[in-house]
């Protein structure tokens, strides 16, 4: 868990981007092989769940699990620290700075994946 890309991918999923192309199209310019590796790792760790949204060709969305949502306070603290100590960092949107993990918990009946990460 502590590598730069896993944290950025999680942050991006918290921000409501769930499809592979949305996750690949971030300002940090993650390479596709690293993105695929981090998504597989985050799924293996139980922080995200993937769900097919298209079957021919098969394409997936990636959503937070409860375990993944519970990681929010860690990301919040890292972002607060960075804002105070590193110039020109990502500014914290209100939903992120003031959000709680519970707001990102999966909706019932979704196989452990949140449908709307900013719900609540």
């Amino acid at each position: 868990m502590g590598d730069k890309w896993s944290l950025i991918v999680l942050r991006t999923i918290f921000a409501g981007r769930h499809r592979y192309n949305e996750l690949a199209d971030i300002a940090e310019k993650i390479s596709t092989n690293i993105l695929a590796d981090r998504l597989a790792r985050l799924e293996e760790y139980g922080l995200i769940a993937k769900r097919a949204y298209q079957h021919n060709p098969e394409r997936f969305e990636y959503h937070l699990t409860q375990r993944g949502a519970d990681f929010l306070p860690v990301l919040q603290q890292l972002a607060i620290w960075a804002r105070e100590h590193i110039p020109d960092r990502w500014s914290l949107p209100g939903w992120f700075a003031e959000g709680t993990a519970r707001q990102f918990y999966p909706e019932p009946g979704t196989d452990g994946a949140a449908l709307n990460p900013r719900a609540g």
Side-chain angles (χ1 to χ4, degrees):
M1 241 348 275
D3 72 274
K4 164 186 167 179
W5 292 116
S6 293
L7 299 175
I8 290 171
V9 170
L10 278 175
R11 178 210 65 198
T12 305
I13 293 172
F14 271 106
R17 296 173 134 194
H18 302 285
R19 295 182 178 185
Y20 190 90
N21 63 335
E22 295 172 334
L23 295 166
D25 186 31
I26 57 175
E28 292 84 0
K29 302 298 180 205
I30 188 171
S31 66
T32 57
N33 63 322
I34 297 215
L35 176 58
D37 177 72
R38 292 320 183 271
L39 288 169
R41 268 197 220 171
L42 292 169
E43 185 179 18
E44 179 182 329
Y45 297 156
L47 298 171
I48 63 172
K50 77 178 180 182
R51 181 174 49 241
Y53 70 89
Q54 179 178 310
H55 296 287
N56 192 9
E58 192 164 45
R59 295 182 188 208
F60 297 94
E61 292 181 329
Y62 301 87
H63 295 273
L64 296 165
T65 61
Q66 183 171 333
R67 178 183 278 186
D70 285 340
F71 198 74
L72 179 63
V74 176
L75 288 178
Q76 288 169 321
Q77 289 304 307
L78 287 170
I80 289 167
W81 181 90
R83 181 185 65 208
E84 293 174 5
H85 297 286
I86 303 172
D88 303 320
R89 300 312 320 162
W90 182 60
S91 62
L92 304 175
W95 65 264
F96 183 85
E98 300 163 12
T100 66
R102 190 167 296 282
Q103 290 173 299
F104 293 87
Y105 278 6
E107 294 180 12
T110 60
D111 298 327
L115 290 175
N116 183 356
R118 294 193 212 172

